[in-house]
Structure formats: structure tokens, C-alpha cells
């Protein structure tokens, strides 16, 4: 009986060792899988923020970025930052490591910095007189710098551990948005000055213009003074309105007034264009009217002034026409 107890005890010990070993290897296998998944996510994050950092440096060169490119790049940077943050937050929730902690600090700091920078710099270029905007921009730079430092720590640690463990690493980029620590406020001041002196069209520009007119039917010819010589037929005027600014304009009111050489109003027409996008042109045609033969008529076209429009001289245009008396 004693031998039976010893035998059963021995079997129990063996089973315990086997179970412990199996559990240990299973846990190690699971942790290895979780770590590999983390590496895959971290590589994706690294690629997204590497692209971001390149685009961010392009944005900081305000003289080379127009409004459309500026907004597109800022939007892409913010989108990539949000995607990176969510990717790390929502995957491998149970996996923890020092490397992941540093990467979490980097992604959250970069996201905070990017969102604050976007809000601050947009406020600046849309309202150059905004007070104390430098403080907000400086804070965004501080957040971006914290992200840079945390990512550098992540990169150092993961490469060091991989070298010790013989782990194969995916591609990780060197990333630096700002690389500043103590001079963020000075850098913010420089950015504000550079943005305000930008000649690349970053600031809101509202400018509507009358860029063309044409009579229908086409004139027979033009006089030396530029007056259109028309056929003895009902006539209309085609007008081209262009948005030469960098912001979409809504509810554009256009007036066409036709007067004869005695100052009497022959025709008055008003229309509204719902919207004109940046660098876009729209054409409208006035009603067809009859004008008196042998009398010079002025076709006066006016775009109603919009708020904060800087250039108004191109909102007005006059063209002249007449039908020869003998026609």
C-alpha cells in the first residue's frame, strides 16, 4: 500500500510538472502572439505618424503652402493621428508592456498637439488679430514634443529588448514633429510671425469679380471705343462671375441695369447665385430685350459687396452697345 501511495504521489508530481510546463508555455505562446500583434499595430502607427511628420514640416513652411493644400494636409494629419490613437486603444487591451506605455503617451500627445495646433493656426490665419494665440500654439508644440520624446523612448526600448531576445522587428520610422523642449514659446512666436507674413494664400481671401461678358447674338463688330455693334434682333448679355478668393461664397447677388444715352432705364435684372467655390466661375444670361436703333446703351453689371471683401473695383463693369440706325 505504501508503494501504491508513493507511486500515485509520483504520478501526481509528474502531472503537476506537465501541467505547469504546459500552462507556462501556453501563457508564453499567448504573450508572444499578443506581442506580435502589438508590433504589427505599432508598425502601422509608426508609418502613419512618419507621413504626418513629413506633412507637418511642409505645413510649417507657410510660404510654400496654399490654403487648399494647407487644409488638406492638416485634415490628413488629424485623421492619421486619430486612427493611430484608436488603433492602440482598441486592440490588445489586455497586453501591457513598457514599450506600449511609451507608445500610448506618444500617440495621445501627438493627437492632442495636432488637434490644438489645427484649431489654433486656423484661428490665426482666419483672424490675424486674435490675441494671445501664441500661447495656444506653444501648448500644441509642447504636446508634440512630448510625443516625440515618448516615441524615441519606445523606439530605444523595443530595439534594445529585441536585440537581447533575438526578436525580429517590423519597420519602425524615426519620427520627429518638433523636437523641441524648452523653447516652445519662442518657436510659437516665430510661427505666428511667419504665418502672418505668408504670401502663399493661407489667409481667407474673399474676392468676387466680373471676368467676362458677351452679347447674344454675337456683335457684328466693335467700334474704336469698344462699343458692340449689334444686329437688329432681341439681345441678351452673358456674364461670367468668378470667385478669385480661397473661400466659398454663398448668395451672390448680381444686378444688370441697361440705360440709354439719355439716362433712362431700359431694363433692370437681378439674380442670385447660390454659391461659388474657390477659383470657380459661373455664367448667367440676362433676359432677352429690344433696344432702340441708333441709340447707345450702357449695360451696367454689379456684384453686391460681400462681407470682408477686400477688392471691390472688379465688382463693377460697364459695356456699351448700339444697333445702327440703317439696319
Amino acid at each position: 500500500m505504501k508503494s501504491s501511495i508513493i507511486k500515485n504521489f509520483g504520478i501526481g508530481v509528474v502531472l503537476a510538472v506537465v501541467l505547469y510546463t504546459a500552462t507556462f508555455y501556453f501563457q508564453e505562446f499567448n504573450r508572444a502572439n499578443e506581442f506580435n500583434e502589438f508590433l504589427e499595430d505599432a508598425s502601422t502607427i509608426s508609418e502613419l505618424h512618419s507621413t504626418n511628420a513629413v506633412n507637418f514640416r511642409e505645413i510649417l513652411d507657410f510660404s510654400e503652402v496654399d490654403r487648399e493644400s494647407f487644409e488638406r494636409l492638416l485634415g490628413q494629419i488629424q485623421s492619421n493621428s486619430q486612427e493611430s490613437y484608436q488603433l492602440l486603444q482598441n486592440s490588445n487591451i489586455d497586453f501591457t508592456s513598457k514599450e506600449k506605455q511609451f507608445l500610448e503617451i506618444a500617440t495621445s500627445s501627438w493627437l492632442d498637439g495636432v488637434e490644438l495646433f489645427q484649431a489654433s493656426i486656423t484661428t490665426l490665419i482666419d483672424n490675424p488679430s486674435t490675441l494671445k494665440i501664441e500661447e495656444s500654439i506653444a501648448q500644441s508644440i509642447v504636446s508634440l514634443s512630448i510625443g516625440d520624446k515618448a516615441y524615441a523612448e519606445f523606439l530605444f526600448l523595443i530595439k534594445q529588448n529585441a536585440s537581447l531576445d533575438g526578436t525580429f522587428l517590423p519597420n519602425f520610422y524615426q519620427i520627429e514633429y518638433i523636437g523641441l523642449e524648452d523653447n516652445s514659446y519662442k518657436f510659437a512666436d516665430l510661427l505666428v510671425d511667419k504665418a502672418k507674413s505668408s504670401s502663399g494664400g493661407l489667409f481667407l481671401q474673399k474676392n468676387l469679380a466680373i471676368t467676362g461678358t458677351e452679347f447674344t447674338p454675337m456683335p457684328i463688330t466693335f467700334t474704336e471705343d469698344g462699343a458692340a455693334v449689334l444686329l437688329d434682333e432681341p439681345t441678351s448679355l452673358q456674364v461670367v462671375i468668378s470667385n478669385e478668393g480661397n473661400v466659398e461664397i454663398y448668395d451672390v447677388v448680381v444686378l444688370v441695369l441697361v440705360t440709354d444715352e439719355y439716362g433712362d432705364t431700359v431694363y433692370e435684372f437681378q439674380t442670385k447665385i447660390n454659391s461659388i467655390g474657390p477659383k470657380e466661375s459661373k455664367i448667367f444670361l440676362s433676359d432677352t430685350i429690344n433696344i432702340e436703333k441708333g441709340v447707345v446703351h450702357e449695360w451696367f453689371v454689379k456684384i453686391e459687396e460681400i462681407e470682408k471683401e477686400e477688392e471691390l473695383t472688379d465688382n463693377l463693369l460697364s459695356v456699351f452697345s448700339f444697333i445702327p440706325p440703317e439696319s
Side-chain angles (χ1 to χ4, degrees):
M1 182 175 180
K2 184 177 180 180
S3 62
S4 176
I5 293 174
I6 294 173
K7 181 179 180 181
N8 289 336
F9 177 77
I11 293 173
V13 170
V14 171
L15 288 175
V17 171
V18 170
L19 181 61
Y20 171 80
T21 303
T23 300
F24 174 79
Y25 280 107
F26 180 74
Q27 290 175 341
E28 287 299 306
F29 177 77
N30 280 345
R31 180 163 180 81
N33 280 341
E34 290 176 345
F35 184 66
N36 287 333
E37 289 178 16
F38 166 70
L39 288 179
E40 185 177 342
D41 292 340
S43 178
T44 300
I45 290 169
S46 178
E47 183 176 0
L48 287 170
H49 277 286
S50 175
T51 301
N52 271 8
V54 172
N55 289 339
F56 192 74
R57 286 192 293 273
E58 183 177 342
I59 280 177
L60 294 185
D61 188 6
F62 292 102
S63 62
E64 300 299 328
V65 181
D66 59 29
R67 179 82 182 201
E68 184 178 354
S69 299
F70 178 82
E71 292 180 341
R72 176 180 54 81
L73 288 177
L74 262 182
Q76 186 61 58
I77 289 170
Q78 184 180 36
S79 176
N80 286 349
S81 298
Q82 290 172 338
E83 181 182 345
S84 297
Y85 177 79
Q86 292 298 329
L87 178 61
L88 197 58
Q89 292 297 310
N90 296 334
S91 63
N92 285 319
I93 298 175
D94 296 329
F95 175 76
T96 58
S97 70
K98 198 69 174 176
E99 297 96 324
K100 186 177 181 181
Q101 290 175 4
F102 278 122
L103 192 57
E104 285 175 338
I105 294 171
T107 55
S108 62
S109 298
W110 281 333
L111 178 59
D112 290 343
V114 164
E115 290 183 335
L116 183 55
F117 180 86
Q118 182 180 38
S120 304
I121 208 70
T122 301
T123 297
L124 171 65
I125 62 177
D126 288 350
N127 301 282
S129 59
T130 302
L131 299 176
K132 296 184 178 180
I133 195 66
E134 292 88 347
E135 293 181 10
S136 181
I137 294 175
Q139 186 55 54
S140 72
I141 292 169
V142 169
S143 294
L144 290 170
S145 298
I146 291 172
D148 289 348
K149 287 193 67 178
Y151 181 79
E153 293 291 337
F154 155 79
L155 209 56
F156 171 79
L157 191 60
I158 204 164
K159 287 184 176 181
Q160 181 187 61
N161 292 341
S163 177
L164 294 174
D165 299 338
T167 304
F168 174 78
L169 292 178
N171 185 36
F172 288 110
Y173 295 87
Q174 296 287 339
I175 300 172
E176 191 172 86
Y177 279 81
I178 298 293
L180 302 173
E181 294 180 24
D182 299 327
N183 57 348
S184 57
Y185 281 87
K186 181 180 179 181
F187 188 63
D189 289 340
L190 293 175
L191 279 182
V192 170
D193 290 342
K194 192 172 184 180
K196 286 183 176 179
S197 63
S198 167
S199 60
L202 285 181
F203 293 89
L204 286 179
Q205 297 173 354
K206 293 183 177 181
N207 184 25
L208 293 173
I210 303 165
T211 53
T213 58
E214 186 175 277
F215 286 102
T216 303
M218 291 287 289
I220 302 168
T221 186
F222 290 88
T223 67
E224 291 182 357
D225 294 333
V229 181
L230 304 178
L231 295 170
D232 185 12
E233 295 180 13
T235 303
S236 63
L237 185 67
Q238 180 176 275
V239 181
V240 181
I241 306 295
S242 299
N243 181 353
E244 300 190 340
N246 57 17
V247 59
E248 187 166 8
I249 306 297
Y250 299 93
D251 298 328
V252 179
V253 178
V254 185
L255 172 69
V256 177
L257 183 68
V258 183
T259 58
D260 61 24
E261 60 189 37
Y262 310 110
D264 295 328
T265 299
V266 174
Y267 167 78
E268 187 173 351
F269 172 79
Q270 181 173 295
T271 188
K272 179 184 286 187
I273 301 172
N274 291 332
S275 67
I276 307 180
K279 308 306 177 184
E280 181 183 10
S281 296
K282 292 197 174 179
I283 300 173
F284 75 89
L285 195 65
S286 73
D287 296 331
T288 300
I289 64 171
N290 292 297
I291 61 173
E292 184 180 349
K293 289 184 181 181
V295 177
V296 176
H297 289 74
E298 179 183 9
W299 299 66
F300 176 76
V301 185
K302 177 186 178 182
I303 304 173
E304 292 290 343
E305 179 183 348
I306 58 174
E307 185 181 2
K308 296 183 179 179
E309 185 173 7
E310 297 178 3
E311 179 61 52
L312 297 176
T313 58
D314 51 9
N315 286 24
L316 306 172
L317 182 67
S318 289
V319 292
F320 296 86
S321 69
F322 75 97
I323 300 174
E326 66 277 5
S327 62

